[in-house]
Amino acid sequence: MKKINIPAAFDRISDHWSPHIAARLNGQEVRLARIKGDFEWHHHEGVDEAFFVVKGRFTMRFRDKDVAMEEGDLIVVPAGVEHMPQAGEECWIMMFEQAGTSNTGEHESERTKRDLPVL
Amino acid sequence: MKKINIPAAFDRISDHWSPHIAARLNGQEVRLARIKGDFEWHHHEGVDEAFFVVKGRFTMRFRDKDVAMEEGDLIVVPAGVEHMPQAGEECWIMMFEQAGTSNTGEHESERTKRDLPVL
């Protein structure tokens, strides 16, 4: 039972769009990522994904609308729903999702991360 | 896909030790609670529970140690481990746990909450 300070843990993350595992529970993972710029459109079959803004802001784009995510906001992207995070300035996010979920969803790209680092 | 602002959502919670559901995903729940004073010793069979401090501070007591939880800290209480949150001053916490997990774990008391309100 070791605690982790979430804002301080971002000091140990350097790259953008590189999720790091902060905690594991019930087959889920708490992941942290620094994001900046556009990600890519993707979806996750059968698994939901939650995003919480630790610092900064970003836009969660859906095919039919954009949601402006401010500090302290939480949103759940339901399984199968296409989405693309977009951050004008650097933003720190905390995600909750099923262990093993690929960051680029159902397709692989040069942005797909495997063997996520553990904080 | 509706976002919820976590700090602002605490305005809709009045009682202490009364978890409210902020989001659901993958059979899990994101719960918010205002805590103040001592809770009670309990454990959860087979399910882990994570606590994140949104505002304030509290002590997570275990049988063999106390962990001082400050703002921004996250801790996972593994399944089966006895614990008791204790807050000298009011503290706001966000929890991640399996849907249906009882707030008082394996025993019922006057503090057991059923049919948690949804924010």
Side-chain angles (χ1 to χ4, degrees):
Chain A
M1 282 89 68
K2 222 179 125 196
K3 70 174 187 176
I4 177 171
N5 186 271
I6 297 300
F10 282 89
D11 289 345
R12 289 182 271 155
I13 301 174
S14 46
D15 294 349
H16 292 131
W17 306 112
S18 173
H20 285 53
I21 299 172
R24 294 188 172 104
L25 70 154
N26 299 328
Q28 311 289 310
E29 288 171 351
V30 178
R31 298 179 181 178
L32 307 183
R34 289 179 186 258
I35 65 172
K36 187 177 180 184
D38 292 1
F39 198 56
E40 56 186 41
W41 286 104
H42 67 286
H43 71 283
H44 307 278
E45 282 299 339
V47 287
D48 309 316
E49 194 175 27
F51 294 78
F52 174 75
V53 182
V54 176
K55 188 173 148 186
R57 57 176 58 83
F58 77 101
T59 302
M60 184 61 88
R61 298 196 59 195
F62 297 103
R63 290 298 188 185
D64 61 343
K65 67 173 176 177
D66 292 347
V67 177
M69 296 288 296
E70 305 287 335
E71 208 162 293
D73 282 347
L74 175 82
I75 195 168
V76 175
V77 178
V81 173
E82 282 193 292
H83 58 289
M84 180 181 73
Q86 207 169 42
E89 298 298 320
E90 183 176 274
C91 176
W92 296 359
I93 57 172
M94 178 161 68
M95 292 163 286
F96 318 116
E97 52 197 311
Q98 196 154 296
T101 301
S102 168
N103 63 318
T104 56
E106 299 308 305
H107 72 285
E108 296 200 7
S109 76
E110 74 282 0
R111 306 181 94 161
T112 303
K113 300 289 183 188
R114 287 185 192 78
D115 303 321
L116 303 185
V118 178
L119 291 164
Chain B
M1 282 89 66
K2 221 179 127 198
K3 70 174 187 176
I4 177 171
N5 185 271
I6 298 299
F10 282 89
D11 289 346
R12 290 183 270 155
I13 301 175
S14 46
D15 294 347
H16 292 132
W17 306 111
S18 173
H20 285 53
I21 298 172
R24 292 187 173 105
L25 69 153
N26 299 328
Q28 310 289 310
E29 288 171 350
V30 178
R31 299 180 180 178
L32 307 183
R34 288 179 188 259
I35 65 172
K36 187 178 179 183
D38 292 1
F39 198 55
E40 56 186 41
W41 286 103
H42 67 287
H43 71 283
H44 308 277
E45 282 299 339
V47 288
D48 310 315
E49 194 175 27
F51 294 77
F52 174 75
V53 181
V54 176
K55 187 173 147 186
R57 58 176 56 84
F58 77 101
T59 302
M60 183 62 88
R61 299 195 59 196
F62 297 102
R63 290 299 187 183
D64 61 343
K65 67 172 176 180
D66 292 348
V67 177
M69 295 288 297
E70 306 288 335
E71 207 161 294
D73 282 347
L74 175 82
I75 195 168
V76 175
V77 178
V81 173
E82 282 193 292
H83 58 288
M84 179 180 77
Q86 206 170 42
E89 298 299 320
E90 183 176 274
C91 176
W92 297 359
I93 58 172
M94 177 160 68
M95 291 163 287
F96 318 118
E97 52 197 311
Q98 197 155 294
T101 301
S102 167
N103 64 319
T104 55
E106 299 308 305
H107 71 283
E108 296 201 4
S109 75
E110 75 279 3
R111 307 183 93 158
T112 302
K113 301 289 184 188
R114 288 185 190 76
D115 304 321
L116 303 186
V118 178
L119 292 164

